[in-house]
Amino acid sequence: MRRNPVPVRPTVLAWTPVLLTAVLLNTGCAGPDDTPSAAPASSSPVPHGYVEGAEEAPEQQSRLLIGDAGSGATRVLDLITGKVVASGKAGGVDGIATDGRFGYLPGGAGTRVVDTGAWTVDHGDHVHYYRTKTRTVGDLAGGTGARVHGDAGVTVVTGADGRARVLRRADLDAGRTGTPTALTGTYAGAVVPYAEHLVAVEADPGGDTDRPAVVVLDRAGRPVASPGAVCEDPRGEAVTRRGVVLGCADGALLVREDDGRFTAERIPYGRDVPRAQRAAAFRHRPGSTTLTAPAGKDAVWTLDVTARTWKRIPTGPVVAVNTAGEGSPLLVLESDGALHSYDSADGRELAVTARLVKEPGGPGGAAPVIEIDRSRAYLNDAEGRRVHEIDYLDDLRVARTFDLDLRPSLMVETGR
């Protein structure tokens, strides 16, 4: 299953994003062999963040949830052990998302929820890593095109029709989907959990204007605040340590919470950008405040959320893009099937691989993606039935290649 074996990479104490801060203080875990472990004896000190049945690991338990959009089959690849575990099958899958532990695969028959069994609990001054058995949690009603975002308390599934449903993480932790709460409004783009609230863009604001207003809701969907901002043509969203970033026609909108008060700050492109060249889907390393997105056919955007600045970097024809953050190279899969790295400061090409992806255009509508953490990047090759692990700090060296028994057309990394 695995070629080009190398020693397991060293422990990486990755900063986890706000989305996952203090994640799962009420979740169950299991041992490295994916078998439930017993709770510690009552006479033993209980680790901070421990839950019944948990086993704490000494390093981040990175895993990949992989889906075959054609067959609906899914697998979980443990990046520590190299072990692959079957994780069920869902019909008509057209997308994939994660909240750091659970994977969500929307499709024609609904959204399949998979517990990948790996997560991180960040207490600010120290971090805990946990693992448990991989399992299928269940299915949620809905159709294709659903978008999913979650945090420590809830997960929100927003359908293509703009309707959103809220799931309790306590239910997911217990291995069930529970009874989702349907929000009464209709929203443009995804509804995003943030700071114990929900951030959304109204699809039909009404009143004297039809401009899409940004609203803040409580977890039941009741409006509780209005930052006084609009987001025209909302496309793409991301949660960072600085707040929620919404992609808008004129750039981005940063929604932040400070001592219970929500504000919205505009980060404009600074020039007119045709719709086809705007950032429509953000990619970044969880915890990073540097976002990436294609900027049309042959360039990429980087958005420095901290500095509130955009940068457009010319490249070859873009298929996928990502970066680990400030000071790290920009990784771009181009139409030649090779992975390219660029200096994010001056745009110089730093390195390029041989062809790694047989059909980078993404047959069946599922284009490859680049998942990235502090030490490695992962690139899926659907037609080649494999996933490449890339050391992006060593001239894009291919550290490992994992051969699979399905077409990995969908992929997300969990455990972070």
Side-chain angles (χ1 to χ4, degrees):
M1 184 277 303
R2 185 176 66 189
R3 296 185 288 130
N4 304 327
V6 299
V8 174
R9 56 197 172 114
T11 300
V12 179
L13 298 180
W15 178 279
T16 54
V18 171
L19 182 67
L20 301 180
T21 299
V23 169
L24 303 176
L25 299 182
N26 296 304
T27 55
C29 307
D33 295 327
D34 281 343
T35 56
S37 59
S42 58
S43 60
S44 302
V46 176
H48 186 36
Y50 174 82
V51 294
E52 184 176 0
E55 178 167 323
E56 190 170 1
E59 61 181 333
Q60 181 175 301
Q61 300 299 291
S62 298
R63 294 179 177 181
L64 295 177
L65 174 61
I66 298 163
D68 184 333
S71 69
T74 63
R75 303 285 187 270
V76 175
L77 168 59
D78 189 320
L79 294 169
I80 302 298
T81 66
K83 181 180 179 181
V84 178
V85 177
S87 51
K89 188 174 182 179
V93 175
D94 71 339
I96 193 168
T98 184
D99 53 23
R101 172 181 175 177
F102 296 94
Y104 305 87
L105 297 104
T111 297
R112 170 63 54 89
V113 184
V114 176
D115 183 355
T116 67
W119 68 93
T120 297
V121 177
D122 188 348
H123 292 296
D125 60 345
H126 63 284
V127 180
H128 295 269
Y129 306 108
Y130 295 100
R131 59 187 295 140
T132 189
K133 185 178 180 179
T134 297
R135 60 182 175 179
T136 299
V137 176
D139 295 294
L140 305 170
T144 59
R147 298 164 78 172
V148 183
H149 288 272
D151 66 5
V154 299
T155 293
V156 183
V157 180
T158 309
D161 60 359
R163 300 289 182 178
R165 288 162 295 140
V166 180
L167 291 80
R168 296 174 63 249
R169 277 297 290 265
D171 287 330
L172 297 177
D173 298 343
R176 58 179 181 269
T177 58
T179 303
T181 300
L183 304 186
T184 57
T186 303
Y187 303 98
V191 177
V192 182
Y194 169 67
E196 300 184 3
H197 290 75
L198 306 175
V199 175
V201 179
E202 293 180 309
D204 184 14
D208 297 330
T209 177
D210 289 330
R211 302 182 72 192
V214 177
V215 294
V216 178
L217 316 171
D218 65 17
R219 294 293 166 101
R222 295 181 292 262
V224 296
S226 176
V230 298
C231 182
E232 300 281 2
D233 191 22
R235 293 190 298 165
E237 61 284 324
V239 180
T240 75
R241 289 183 285 115
R242 303 295 181 185
V244 177
V245 176
L246 304 175
C248 309
D250 59 351
L253 199 65
L254 175 63
V255 180
R256 303 184 65 191
E257 182 270 342
D258 184 13
D259 197 22
R261 180 173 177 266
F262 289 85
T263 60
E265 180 180 354
R266 198 165 299 281
I267 309 176
Y269 289 120
R271 57 192 170 106
D272 289 335
V273 177
R275 191 173 193 272
Q277 297 179 15
R278 297 172 190 164
F282 295 111
R283 300 284 298 177
H284 72 304
R285 176 183 61 80
S288 167
T289 55
T290 302
L291 308 183
T292 65
K297 295 181 179 179
D298 56 1
V300 298
W301 291 110
T302 61
L303 171 58
D304 185 331
V305 180
T306 301
R308 314 291 201 268
T309 55
W310 290 92
K311 182 177 292 184
R312 187 178 185 273
I313 298 178
T315 63
V318 179
V319 177
V321 60
N322 211 335
T323 184
E326 183 180 1
S328 296
L330 183 69
L331 305 186
V332 183
L333 175 67
E334 300 185 10
S335 61
D336 58 3
L339 188 65
H340 301 246
S341 69
Y342 294 87
D343 188 301
S344 57
D346 59 23
R348 289 180 299 113
E349 185 173 73
L350 302 174
V352 61
T353 68
R355 187 181 186 93
L356 296 178
V357 178
K358 289 186 176 182
E359 293 189 26
V369 297
I370 302 169
E371 286 289 316
I372 198 165
D373 57 33
R374 282 191 180 273
S375 64
R376 295 289 189 267
Y378 298 93
L379 176 64
N380 55 322
D381 175 13
E383 291 306 300
R385 293 180 174 242
R386 58 192 178 181
V387 170
H388 299 289
E389 180 182 78
I390 309 294
D391 185 346
Y392 56 83
L393 296 177
D394 187 14
D395 292 329
L396 301 181
R397 177 176 61 88
V398 178
R400 292 186 290 181
T401 296
F402 299 95
D403 294 318
L404 302 164
D405 63 348
L406 80 173
R407 296 174 64 255
S409 52
L410 304 166
M411 182 178 74
V412 290
E413 184 175 354
T414 66
R416 301 183 290 188

